Amino acid sequence: MTAELPRKLSRRSPKGEQLRSIMEDLIDAAKPGDPLPSERELAERYDVARMTVRAEITRLAAEGMVERVQGRGTFVAEARVAQAAALSSFTEDMRARGLTAGSQVLGQETEPADDVVARRLGLEPGTPVVRVRRVRTADGEPMALEEAFLPAERFGALAGEDLEGASLFTVLEERFGARFPAADQQVVAVEIVGEDANLLRVAPGRAGLKFHTILLDDDERPVAYAWSLFRGDRYEIRLRQERRP
Amino acid sequence: MTAELPRKLSRRSPKGEQLRSIMEDLIDAAKPGDPLPSERELAERYDVARMTVRAEITRLAAEGMVERVQGRGTFVAEARVAQAAALSSFTEDMRARGLTAGSQVLGQETEPADDVVARRLGLEPGTPVVRVRRVRTADGEPMALEEAFLPAERFGALAGEDLEGASLFTVLEERFGARFPAADQQVVAVEIVGEDANLLRVAPGRAGLKFHTILLDDDERPVAYAWSLFRGDRYEIRLRQERRP
């Protein structure tokens, strides 16, 4: 992007708001990796304080629209990968974006279910479950953390499967003949902190989307429970909503 | 909640992970506002380092599950308000939770659409639009920021409506006879910074859910575009997903 800077600011509305709208237009017209004009350039062009420009860039960075690179400037961020209303696996989501999904297995073992996991799977606390903890990658870059829990009675052999490169959905469907036509999902925004930030290679405190997913079989019984934590700058949700009459 | 502390830690898996599971169980069984056991109490009870306990509480706070109150301790957070797959207004979402919705109007005027707003409404840039910017409250507490844009040609009179206590959906439906049976929505996780943090009364950097919503009429034409920024600790999304065969 060669900074094609638009119109001058008017005196009608707050400069911060106008700058925001101009910069969103700029980003909208640009490609990921394109540089933004410098703070000084923007401040001079629109005759606003450097602080006003900086506050606006901070907001754009907080929303994952631009990325600041120390000593180099500010760049338009990678587009986010979208999850739509259809129940799709991480591998399928990445493929839809032209990215190659991978994983790094952090843990894979059988253990007694704690109260929360047990309730989500409709089991008694202490019932053995297989737990699989992975970092999910897109083209080799960390995108999400994921921890899945499945009843060991049915899925015990999963503890021995090679899940480094595999889609869990595919393994469940093809190796175990499992069916899960639907899922209930809860999504919250969280700050990524501690070890999670290290694993996802983001600065502590960056925003993330945390999903709690319960896969359901044809009789609406839980097949598996998983939580996953996605980098907020790389993932989004697309929804189609219908209004009840 | 009188801290009914569960089982001892085993030597089998990392203490941090076990503590996490125990604390999630505790919170799960507790009510909003209930105190958590102190860091020292937890550290002594499970024979883990204070730092391990603190890291775990930091993570729970980052996820909005607990709230730290300076000098008083850590408390189970208020439950989140859920948005489900049906297209519902803020007012309807709050009512479903037994909360009273309100607003504080920050701006309400007619102005030319910038490129992003124009594209989302299917208009030429510069076309006059009514812009309404509000803080949305639940029982008087700030819950979300919202900025809505509507073509002035049809909704010009909206600039003069009293929207302090009103549901925008209701005004559009009843006053303007507008119909919007569906909406396209994009949801991202962001950090709440700057003036937005002040307006929502959260510490800068806390996580939020940002929605971009386009209301569509019976012919799938845009009726209105709005973005809204919800406090991550007070709002969540509930989804029902179906797996394509």
Side-chain angles (χ1 to χ4, degrees), chain B residues 8-26:
Chain B
K8 280 212 147 143
L9 296 194
S10 84
R11 296 177 180 195
R12 213 180 28 77
S13 58
K15 285 180 169 180
E17 286 187 19
Q18 291 185 65
L19 195 62
R20 171 181 189 148
S21 143
I22 287 169
M23 294 189 55
E24 287 182 352
D25 286 355
L26 269 178

Side-chain angles (χ1 to χ4, degrees), chain A residues 85-99:
Chain A
L87 174 60
S88 50
S89 71
F90 179 86
T91 307
E92 290 159 354
D93 282 353
M94 296 307 126
R95 195 181 297 137
R97 280 289 301 180
L99 301 170

Side-chain angles (χ1 to χ4, degrees), chain A residues 97-141:
Chain A
R97 280 289 301 180
L99 301 170
T100 303
S103 346
Q104 180 195 345
V105 175
L106 302 174
Q108 188 174 359
E109 62 269 309
T110 303
E111 62 177 36
D114 66 34
D115 294 2
V116 172
V117 168
R119 192 163 34 75
R120 290 185 168 157
L121 286 174
L123 302 172
E124 286 299 311
T127 309
V129 291
V130 178
R131 182 171 73 111
V132 179
R133 187 174 163 85
R134 299 189 290 177
V135 179
R136 308 307 313 264
T137 59
D139 286 356
E141 203 197 345

Side-chain angles (χ1 to χ4, degrees), chain A residues 28 119 186 191 206 236, chain B residues 28 119 186 191 206:
Chain A
D28 207 52
R119 192 163 34 75
Q186 177 203 16
E191 295 147 46
R206 297 309 306 261
E236 67 180 25
Chain B
D28 208 52
R119 191 161 36 73
Q186 177 203 15
E191 295 147 45
R206 297 309 306 262

Side-chain angles (χ1 to χ4, degrees), chain A residues 7 25, chain B residues 111-119 122-129:
Chain A
R7 63 202 179 273
D25 286 355
Chain B
E111 61 176 37
D114 67 33
D115 294 3
V116 172
V117 169
R119 191 161 36 73
L123 303 172
E124 286 300 311
T127 309
V129 291

Side-chain angles (χ1 to χ4, degrees), chain A residues 7 12-14 17 20-22 24-25 28 55 58-59 61-64 80 83-89 92 109-117 119-120 131 133 147 169-170 173 180-193 196 205-213 216 220 227 229 232-233 235-244, chain B residues 7 12-14 17 20-22 24-25 28 55 58-59 61-64 80 83-89 92 109-117 119-120 131 133 147 169-170 173 180-193 196 205-213 216 220 227 229 232-233 235-244:
Chain A
R7 63 202 179 273
R12 213 179 29 75
S13 59
E17 284 187 20
R20 172 180 189 148
S21 144
I22 288 169
E24 287 182 352
D25 286 355
D28 207 52
T58 297
R59 199 189 53 80
E63 298 199 349
R80 289 182 169 92
Q83 177 198 269
L87 174 60
S88 50
S89 71
E92 290 159 354
E109 62 269 309
T110 303
E111 62 177 36
D114 66 34
D115 294 2
V116 172
V117 168
R119 192 163 34 75
R120 290 185 168 157
R131 182 171 73 111
R133 187 174 163 85
E147 196 164 44
F169 275 27
T170 304
E173 288 172 332
F180 32 94
D184 279 332
Q185 227 172 26
Q186 177 203 16
V187 192
V188 297
V190 303
E191 295 147 46
I192 306 174
V193 295
D196 294 353
R206 297 309 306 261
L209 281 175
K210 187 160 189 178
F211 295 78
H212 295 273
T213 307
L216 300 167
E220 297 276 314
W227 63 257
L229 174 61
D233 59 341
Y235 205 71
E236 67 180 25
I237 307 170
R238 298 272 170 133
L239 294 175
R240 166 85 182 189
Q241 295 191 306
E242 313 283 342
R243 183 140 178 87
R244 297 211 180 89
Chain B
R7 62 203 178 275
R12 213 180 28 77
S13 58
E17 286 187 19
R20 171 181 189 148
S21 143
I22 287 169
E24 287 182 352
D25 286 355
D28 208 52
T58 298
R59 198 188 55 78
E63 299 198 350
R80 290 181 168 92
Q83 177 198 268
L87 174 59
S88 50
S89 70
E92 291 159 353
E109 64 268 306
T110 303
E111 61 176 37
D114 67 33
D115 294 3
V116 172
V117 169
R119 191 161 36 73
R120 290 185 169 157
R131 182 171 73 111
R133 187 174 163 84
E147 196 165 43
F169 275 27
T170 304
E173 288 173 332
F180 33 93
D184 279 333
Q185 229 173 23
Q186 177 203 15
V187 191
V188 298
V190 303
E191 295 147 45
I192 305 175
V193 295
D196 294 352
R206 297 309 306 262
L209 281 175
K210 187 161 189 178
F211 294 79
H212 295 273
T213 306
L216 300 167
E220 297 276 313
W227 63 257
L229 174 60
D233 60 341
Y235 206 72
E236 66 180 25
I237 307 170
R238 298 274 169 135
L239 294 175
R240 166 83 182 190
Q241 296 191 305
E242 312 285 340
R243 184 141 177 86
R244 296 212 179 89

